[in-house]
Coordinates of all heavy atoms in Angstrom, one line a residue:
E118 N -43.7 68.0 3.1 CA -43.3 66.9 2.3 C -44.2 65.7 2.6 O -44.6 65.5 3.7 CB -41.9 66.5 2.6 CG -41.4 65.3 1.8 CD -39.9 65.0 2.1 OE1 -39.6 64.5 3.2 OE2 -39.0 65.3 1.3
L119 N -44.6 65.0 1.6 CA -45.4 63.8 1.7 C -44.6 62.6 1.2 O -44.3 62.6 0.0 CB -46.7 63.9 1.0 CG -47.7 62.7 1.1 CD1 -48.4 62.7 2.5 CD2 -48.8 62.7 0.0
V120 N -44.3 61.6 2.1 CA -43.5 60.5 1.7 C -44.5 59.4 1.3 O -45.4 59.0 2.0 CB -42.6 60.0 2.8 CG1 -41.8 58.7 2.3 CG2 -41.7 61.1 3.2
M121 N -44.4 58.9 0.1 CA -45.3 57.9 -0.5 C -44.6 56.6 -1.0 O -43.6 56.7 -1.7 CB -46.1 58.6 -1.7 CG -47.1 57.7 -2.4 SD -47.8 58.5 -3.9 CE -48.6 59.9 -3.1
W122 N -45.2 55.5 -0.6 CA -44.7 54.2 -1.1 C -45.8 53.6 -2.0 O -46.9 53.5 -1.6 CB -44.4 53.2 0.0 CG -43.1 53.5 0.8 CD1 -42.3 54.6 0.6 CD2 -42.6 52.8 1.9 NE1 -41.3 54.6 1.6 CE2 -41.5 53.5 2.4 CE3 -43.0 51.6 2.5 CZ2 -40.7 53.0 3.4 CZ3 -42.3 51.1 3.6 CH2 -41.1 51.8 4.0
S123 N -45.4 53.1 -3.2 CA -46.3 52.4 -4.1 C -45.5 51.5 -5.0 O -44.3 51.6 -5.1 CB -47.2 53.4 -4.9 OG -48.0 52.8 -5.7
R124 N -46.2 50.6 -5.7 CA -45.5 49.6 -6.5 C -45.1 50.2 -7.9 O -44.2 49.6 -8.5 CB -46.5 48.5 -6.8 CG -47.5 48.7 -7.9 CD -48.4 47.6 -8.1 NE -49.6 47.8 -7.3 CZ -50.8 47.1 -7.5 NH1 -50.8 46.1 -8.4 NH2 -51.8 47.3 -6.8
Y125 N -45.6 51.3 -8.3 CA -45.4 51.7 -9.7 C -44.1 52.5 -9.9 O -43.7 53.3 -9.1 CB -46.5 52.6 -10.2 CG -47.9 51.9 -10.1 CD1 -48.8 52.1 -9.1 CD2 -48.2 50.9 -11.0 CE1 -50.0 51.4 -9.0 CE2 -49.4 50.2 -11.0 CZ -50.2 50.5 -9.9 OH -51.4 49.7 -9.8
D126 N -43.4 52.2 -11.0 CA -42.2 52.8 -11.4 C -42.6 54.1 -12.2 O -43.0 53.9 -13.4 CB -41.3 51.9 -12.2 CG -40.0 52.6 -12.7 OD1 -39.8 53.8 -12.4 OD2 -39.3 51.9 -13.4
L127 N -42.5 55.2 -11.6 CA -43.0 56.4 -12.3 C -42.2 56.8 -13.5 O -42.7 57.6 -14.3 CB -43.0 57.6 -11.3 CG -43.9 57.4 -10.0 CD1 -44.0 58.7 -9.3 CD2 -45.3 56.9 -10.4
A128 N -41.0 56.2 -13.7 CA -40.2 56.5 -14.9 C -40.6 55.6 -16.1 O -40.2 55.9 -17.2 CB -38.7 56.3 -14.5
D129 N -41.5 54.7 -15.8 CA -41.9 53.7 -16.9 C -43.1 54.3 -17.7 O -44.2 54.2 -17.3 CB -42.3 52.4 -16.3 CG -42.6 51.3 -17.3 OD1 -42.5 51.6 -18.5 OD2 -43.0 50.2 -16.9
T130 N -42.8 55.0 -18.8 CA -43.8 55.6 -19.6 C -44.6 54.6 -20.4 O -45.7 55.0 -21.0 CB -43.2 56.7 -20.5 OG1 -42.2 56.0 -21.3 CG2 -42.5 57.8 -19.7
S131 N -44.2 53.4 -20.4 CA -45.0 52.4 -21.1 C -46.1 51.8 -20.2 O -47.0 51.1 -20.7 CB -44.1 51.2 -21.6 OG -43.6 50.5 -20.4
D132 N -46.1 52.1 -18.9 CA -47.1 51.6 -17.9 C -48.1 52.7 -17.7 O -47.8 53.7 -17.1 CB -46.4 51.3 -16.6 CG -47.4 50.7 -15.5 OD1 -48.6 50.8 -15.7 OD2 -46.9 50.2 -14.5
N133 N -49.3 52.5 -18.2 CA -50.3 53.5 -18.1 C -50.7 53.9 -16.7 O -51.0 55.0 -16.4 CB -51.6 53.1 -18.9 CG -52.5 54.2 -19.1 OD1 -52.2 55.2 -19.8 ND2 -53.7 54.1 -18.5
N134 N -50.6 52.9 -15.8 CA -50.9 53.2 -14.4 C -49.9 54.1 -13.8 O -50.2 55.0 -13.0 CB -51.0 51.9 -13.6 CG -52.2 51.0 -14.1 OD1 -53.3 51.4 -14.0 ND2 -51.8 49.8 -14.5
A135 N -48.6 53.9 -14.1 CA -47.5 54.7 -13.6 C -47.7 56.1 -14.2 O -47.5 57.1 -13.5 CB -46.2 54.1 -14.0
V136 N -48.0 56.2 -15.5 CA -48.2 57.6 -16.1 C -49.4 58.3 -15.4 O -49.3 59.5 -15.1 CB -48.5 57.4 -17.6 CG1 -48.9 58.7 -18.2 CG2 -47.2 56.9 -18.3
T137 N -50.4 57.6 -15.1 CA -51.6 58.2 -14.5 C -51.3 58.6 -13.1 O -51.6 59.8 -12.7 CB -52.8 57.1 -14.4 OG1 -53.1 56.7 -15.7 CG2 -54.0 57.8 -13.8
L138 N -50.6 57.8 -12.3 CA -50.2 58.2 -10.9 C -49.2 59.3 -10.9 O -49.3 60.3 -10.1 CB -49.6 57.0 -10.2 CG -49.2 57.2 -8.7 CD1 -50.4 57.6 -7.9 CD2 -48.6 55.9 -8.2
N139 N -48.3 59.3 -11.8 CA -47.3 60.4 -11.9 C -47.9 61.7 -12.2 O -47.6 62.8 -11.6 CB -46.2 60.1 -13.0 CG -45.0 61.0 -12.9 OD1 -44.6 61.3 -11.8 ND2 -44.5 61.4 -14.0
A140 N -48.9 61.7 -13.1 CA -49.6 63.0 -13.4 C -50.4 63.5 -12.2 O -50.5 64.7 -12.0 CB -50.5 62.8 -14.6
R141 N -51.0 62.5 -11.5 CA -51.8 62.9 -10.3 C -50.9 63.5 -9.3 O -51.2 64.5 -8.6 CB -52.5 61.7 -9.7 CG -53.4 62.0 -8.6 CD -54.5 62.9 -9.1 NE -55.4 63.2 -8.0 CZ -56.5 64.0 -8.2 NH1 -56.7 64.6 -9.4 NH2 -57.3 64.3 -7.2
I142 N -49.7 63.0 -9.1 CA -48.7 63.5 -8.1 C -48.3 64.9 -8.5 O -48.3 65.8 -7.6 CB -47.5 62.6 -8.0 CG1 -47.9 61.3 -7.3 CG2 -46.4 63.3 -7.2 CD1 -46.8 60.2 -7.3
E143 N -48.1 65.1 -9.8 CA -47.7 66.5 -10.2 C -48.8 67.5 -10.0 O -48.6 68.6 -9.6 CB -47.3 66.4 -11.7 CG -46.0 65.7 -12.0 CD -45.7 65.5 -13.5 OE1 -46.5 66.0 -14.3 OE2 -44.6 65.0 -13.8
A144 N -50.1 67.0 -10.3 CA -51.2 67.9 -10.0 C -51.4 68.2 -8.6 O -51.7 69.4 -8.2 CB -52.5 67.2 -10.6
F145 N -51.2 67.2 -7.7 CA -51.3 67.4 -6.3 C -50.3 68.4 -5.8 O -50.6 69.3 -5.0 CB -51.1 66.0 -5.6 CG -51.1 66.1 -4.1 CD1 -52.2 66.2 -3.4 CD2 -49.8 66.0 -3.5 CE1 -52.2 66.2 -2.0 CE2 -49.8 66.0 -2.1 CZ -50.9 66.1 -1.3
Q146 N -49.0 68.2 -6.2 CA -48.0 69.1 -5.8 C -48.3 70.6 -6.2 O -48.1 71.5 -5.4 CB -46.6 68.7 -6.4 CG -46.1 67.4 -5.8 CD -44.8 66.9 -6.4 OE1 -43.9 66.5 -5.6 NE2 -44.6 67.1 -7.7
E147 N -48.7 70.8 -7.4 CA -49.0 72.1 -7.9 C -50.2 72.8 -7.1 O -50.1 73.9 -6.8 CB -49.4 72.1 -9.4 CG -49.7 73.4 -10.0 CD -49.9 73.4 -11.5 OE1 -49.6 72.3 -12.1 OE2 -50.5 74.3 -12.0
A148 N -51.2 72.0 -6.8 CA -52.4 72.5 -6.1 C -52.2 72.7 -4.6 O -52.8 73.6 -4.0 CB -53.6 71.6 -6.4
T149 N -51.3 71.9 -4.0 CA -51.2 72.0 -2.5 C -49.9 72.6 -2.0 O -49.9 73.0 -0.8 CB -51.3 70.6 -1.9 OG1 -50.2 69.8 -2.3 CG2 -52.6 69.9 -2.3
G150 N -48.9 72.6 -2.8 CA -47.6 73.1 -2.4 C -46.9 72.0 -1.6 O -45.8 72.3 -1.0
I151 N -47.4 70.8 -1.5 CA -46.7 69.7 -0.8 C -45.8 69.0 -1.8 O -46.3 68.6 -2.9 CB -47.8 68.8 -0.2 CG1 -48.7 69.5 0.8 CG2 -47.1 67.6 0.4 CD1 -49.8 68.6 1.3
T152 N -44.6 68.7 -1.4 CA -43.7 68.0 -2.3 C -43.8 66.5 -1.9 O -43.7 66.1 -0.8 CB -42.2 68.4 -2.0 OG1 -42.1 69.8 -2.3 CG2 -41.3 67.6 -2.9
V153 N -44.1 65.7 -3.0 CA -44.2 64.2 -2.8 C -42.8 63.6 -3.0 O -42.1 63.8 -4.0 CB -45.2 63.6 -3.8 CG1 -45.2 62.1 -3.7 CG2 -46.6 64.2 -3.5
R154 N -42.4 62.9 -2.0 CA -41.1 62.1 -2.1 C -41.6 60.6 -2.3 O -42.0 60.0 -1.3 CB -40.3 62.2 -0.8 CG -38.9 61.4 -0.9 CD -37.9 62.1 0.0 NE -38.3 62.1 1.4 CZ -38.0 61.1 2.3 NH1 -37.5 60.0 1.9 NH2 -38.4 61.3 3.5
Y155 N -41.4 60.2 -3.5 CA -42.0 58.9 -3.9 C -40.9 57.8 -3.9 O -39.8 58.0 -4.3 CB -42.6 59.0 -5.3 CG -43.3 57.8 -5.8 CD1 -44.6 57.6 -5.6 CD2 -42.6 56.8 -6.5 CE1 -45.3 56.4 -6.0 CE2 -43.2 55.7 -7.0 CZ -44.6 55.5 -6.8 OH -45.2 54.4 -7.2
E156 N -41.3 56.6 -3.4 CA -40.4 55.4 -3.5 C -41.2 54.2 -4.1 O -42.3 53.9 -3.6 CB -39.9 55.1 -2.1 CG -39.0 53.9 -2.1 CD -38.4 53.6 -0.8 OE1 -38.5 54.4 0.1 OE2 -37.8 52.4 -0.6
T157 N -40.6 53.6 -5.1 CA -41.2 52.4 -5.6 C -40.8 51.2 -4.8 O -39.6 51.0 -4.5 CB -40.7 52.2 -7.1 OG1 -41.0 53.3 -7.9 CG2 -41.3 50.9 -7.7
V158 N -41.8 50.4 -4.4 CA -41.5 49.2 -3.6 C -42.3 48.0 -4.3 O -43.5 48.2 -4.5 CB -42.0 49.3 -2.1 CG1 -41.6 48.1 -1.3 CG2 -41.3 50.5 -1.5
A159 N -41.7 46.9 -4.5 CA -42.4 45.8 -5.1 C -43.6 45.4 -4.4 O -43.6 45.4 -3.1 CB -41.4 44.6 -5.2
W160 N -44.7 45.0 -5.1 CA -46.0 44.8 -4.5 C -45.9 43.7 -3.4 O -46.5 43.8 -2.3 CB -46.9 44.3 -5.6 CG -48.3 44.0 -5.1 CD1 -48.9 42.8 -5.2 CD2 -49.3 44.8 -4.5 NE1 -50.2 42.8 -4.7 CE2 -50.4 44.1 -4.2 CE3 -49.2 46.2 -4.1 CZ2 -51.6 44.6 -3.6 CZ3 -50.4 46.7 -3.5 CH2 -51.5 45.9 -3.2
D161 N -45.1 42.6 -3.6 CA -45.0 41.6 -2.7 C -44.1 41.9 -1.5 O -43.9 41.0 -0.6 CB -44.7 40.2 -3.3 CG -43.3 40.3 -4.0 OD1 -42.7 41.3 -4.1 OD2 -42.9 39.2 -4.5
Q162 N -43.5 43.1 -1.5 CA -42.6 43.4 -0.4 C -43.1 44.6 0.4 O -42.5 45.0 1.4 CB -41.2 43.8 -1.0 CG -40.5 42.6 -1.7 CD -39.2 43.0 -2.4 OE1 -38.6 44.1 -2.1 NE2 -38.8 42.3 -3.4
L163 N -44.1 45.3 -0.1 CA -44.6 46.5 0.5 C -45.0 46.3 2.0 O -44.6 47.0 2.9 CB -45.9 47.0 -0.2 CG -45.6 48.1 -1.3 CD1 -46.9 48.3 -2.1 CD2 -45.2 49.4 -0.6
S164 N -45.8 45.2 2.2 CA -46.3 45.1 3.6 C -45.2 44.7 4.6 O -45.1 45.1 5.7 CB -47.4 44.0 3.7 OG -47.0 42.8 3.2
T165 N -44.3 43.8 4.1 CA -43.1 43.4 5.0 C -42.2 44.6 5.3 O -41.8 44.8 6.4 CB -42.3 42.3 4.3 OG1 -43.2 41.2 4.0 CG2 -41.2 41.8 5.1
K166 N -41.9 45.4 4.3 CA -41.0 46.5 4.5 C -41.7 47.5 5.4 O -41.0 48.1 6.3 CB -40.7 47.2 3.1 CG -39.8 48.4 3.3 CD -39.3 48.9 1.9 CE -38.4 50.1 2.1 NZ -37.9 50.6 0.8

Side-chain angles (χ1 to χ4, degrees):
E118 182 178 73
L119 182 75
V120 180
M121 179 184 298
W122 289 0
S123 179
R124 81 182 93 169
Y125 300 103
D126 178 2
L127 299 188
D129 185 0
T130 57
S131 66
D132 182 349
N133 192 63
N134 295 300
V136 171
T137 303
L138 182 59
N139 193 39
R141 186 59 178 181
I142 290 172
E143 292 176 358
F145 173 79
Q146 293 181 136
E147 181 177 344
T149 65
I151 300 174
T152 299
V153 174
R154 181 156 61 90
Y155 183 90
E156 181 177 345
T157 302
V158 182
W160 178 242
D161 60 354
Q162 298 174 21
L163 264 169
S164 60
T165 301
K166 182 173 181 177

